[in-house]
């Protein structure tokens, strides 16, 4: 392999490890060699290897299990572009799996500060809160927390469909046009990790979205928790001339 010496050494190591994974030399779920042995194999210092592994862990290419070792992360079963506004139901069906829902709670609740900010609520406004686990072929995939102003849907609203977006349109004539999204990675979360049957060392992805109608009015604020080993998101970036 020819090296560009203007590029940091650890970047070359990252590419070497990714190539080993893509070529099948390192299999998903396989434990990496010890730090000392792996550094020798790659002909780099242990400090360089550590920096490469740190970045690969942030990218969810590898996963560290404390007291056990470092492993190649399994490839997610579900993937999608974050620039695409989709329902979880369609997201699951697109992968050829059967969507399901375990409803944990639905009812009227007080709005917290984040709800008020995202949904542009007054202090006296309340939200209709829905908590559910979306499943794919019976396996937990996403823990969804959805909030919508009671003033928009009424106190008698009852959510009984798979898709929240479909329910709004069919029952209330509300069409979601677009959403502003923010995605982050977190570590173990006692409540959510247990709900998703996630290992303590398995990170979670949080997709926060504020959905707007065709009049640019905020309609729905949602927090979706995914297991990082099952789901990945990508984005298409275009150059602006």
């Amino acid at each position: 392999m020819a090296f560009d010496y203007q590029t940091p050494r650890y970047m070359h190591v990252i590419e070497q490890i990714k190539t080993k994974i893509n070529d099948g030399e390192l299999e998903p779920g396989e434990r990496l060699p010890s730090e000392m042995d792996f550094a020798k194999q790659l002909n780099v210092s242990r400090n360089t290897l550590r920096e490469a592994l740190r970045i690969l862990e942030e990218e969810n290419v590898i996963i560290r299990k404390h007291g056990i070792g470092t492993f190649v992360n399994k490839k997610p079963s579900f993937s999608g572009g974050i620039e695409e506004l989709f329902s979880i139901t369609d997201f699951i069906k697109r992968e050829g799996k059967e969507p399901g829902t375990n409803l944990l709670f639905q009812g009227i609740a007080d709005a917290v500060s984040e709800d008020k900010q995202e949904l542009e609520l007054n202090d006296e406004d309340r939200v209709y809160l829905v908590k559910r686990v979306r499943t794919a072929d019976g396996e937990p995939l996403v823990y969804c927390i959805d909030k919508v102003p009671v003033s928009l849907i009424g106190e008698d609203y009852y959510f009984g469909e798979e898709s929240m977006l479909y329910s709004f349109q069919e029952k209330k004539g509300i069409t979601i046009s677009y959403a502003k999204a923010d995605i982050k990675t977190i570590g173990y979360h006692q409540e959510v990790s247990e709900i998703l049957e996630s290992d303590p060392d398995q990170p979670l992805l949080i997709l926060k979205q504020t959905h707007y109608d065709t009049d640019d009015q905020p309609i729905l604020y949602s927090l979706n928790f995914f297991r990082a080993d099952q789901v990945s998101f990508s984005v298409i970036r275009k150059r602006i001339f």
Side-chain angles (χ1 to χ4, degrees):
M1 177 184 294
F3 290 109
D4 175 5
Y5 290 99
Q6 293 182 341
T7 302
R9 181 65 168 161
Y10 66 83
M11 294 297 295
H12 292 296
V13 175
I14 289 171
E15 291 306 314
Q16 283 181 279
I17 295 174
K18 286 183 176 180
T19 298
K20 288 178 179 291
I21 294 172
N22 292 332
D23 291 347
E25 189 175 337
L26 290 172
E27 297 284 347
E30 182 178 343
R31 182 178 177 178
L32 297 182
S34 69
E35 192 176 273
M36 181 179 296
D37 290 341
F38 207 20
K40 287 181 179 179
Q41 287 182 27
L42 299 173
N43 194 29
V44 296
S45 69
R46 293 176 68 177
N47 286 338
T48 298
L49 176 63
R50 288 192 191 109
E51 181 62 14
L53 294 179
R54 182 188 68 79
I55 294 173
L56 288 171
E57 184 178 20
E58 289 180 353
E59 295 179 355
N60 291 320
V61 175
I62 63 170
I63 181 172
R64 298 178 192 268
K65 297 185 178 181
H66 297 295
I68 302 177
T70 302
F71 297 80
V72 178
N73 228 341
K74 296 180 180 179
K75 293 183 178 180
S77 303
F78 299 83
S79 61
I82 197 172
E83 74 279 356
E84 177 188 0
L85 180 57
F86 53 79
S87 72
I88 298 298
T89 300
D90 292 338
F91 185 60
I92 295 171
K93 285 182 176 179
R94 198 164 56 191
E95 298 298 328
K97 297 184 182 294
E98 183 66 28
T101 301
N102 295 329
L103 185 62
L104 304 181
F105 175 85
Q106 69 170 314
I108 297 174
D110 292 331
V112 299
S113 58
E114 196 171 64
D115 304 336
K116 295 174 184 177
Q117 178 180 343
E118 296 296 331
L119 295 171
E120 300 178 5
L121 302 177
N122 297 319
D123 288 340
E124 66 273 12
D125 288 334
R126 307 186 79 192
V127 295
Y128 197 89
L129 172 65
V130 178
K131 294 183 178 182
R132 58 203 169 122
V133 178
R134 304 305 313 276
T135 61
D137 287 350
E139 296 295 324
L141 178 68
V142 194
Y143 175 43
C144 304
I145 301 175
D146 297 300
K147 302 176 183 183
V148 60
V150 172
S151 59
L152 291 178
I153 58 174
E155 296 187 3
D156 61 343
Y157 175 79
Y158 180 81
F159 173 72
E161 294 77 13
E162 292 285 355
S163 170
M164 182 75 72
L165 305 187
Y166 175 83
S167 178
F168 287 159
Q169 186 152 359
E170 291 298 307
K171 290 184 175 180
K172 298 297 177 178
I174 299 173
T175 300
I176 300 296
S177 177
Y178 65 96
K180 294 180 180 178
D182 179 42
I183 190 166
K184 296 180 180 178
T185 303
I186 64 169
Y188 178 77
H189 185 287
Q190 183 171 357
E191 178 187 6
V192 178
S193 295
E194 289 181 3
I195 288 174
L196 293 178
E197 300 176 10
S198 181
D199 292 335
D201 293 309
Q202 180 61 57
L204 302 171
L205 299 177
I206 307 178
L207 177 62
K208 295 183 179 182
Q209 295 188 101
T210 304
H211 299 73
Y212 296 82
D213 66 9
T214 52
D215 294 322
D216 300 322
Q217 180 180 7
I219 301 295
L220 167 68
Y221 179 50
S222 63
L223 295 89
N224 298 312
F225 296 83
F226 302 83
R227 279 175 46 175
D229 65 330
Q230 292 181 326
V231 176
S232 67
F233 293 105
S234 60
V235 63
I236 297 175
R237 303 178 66 196
K238 296 182 179 180
R239 186 180 179 187
I240 298 176
F241 293 93

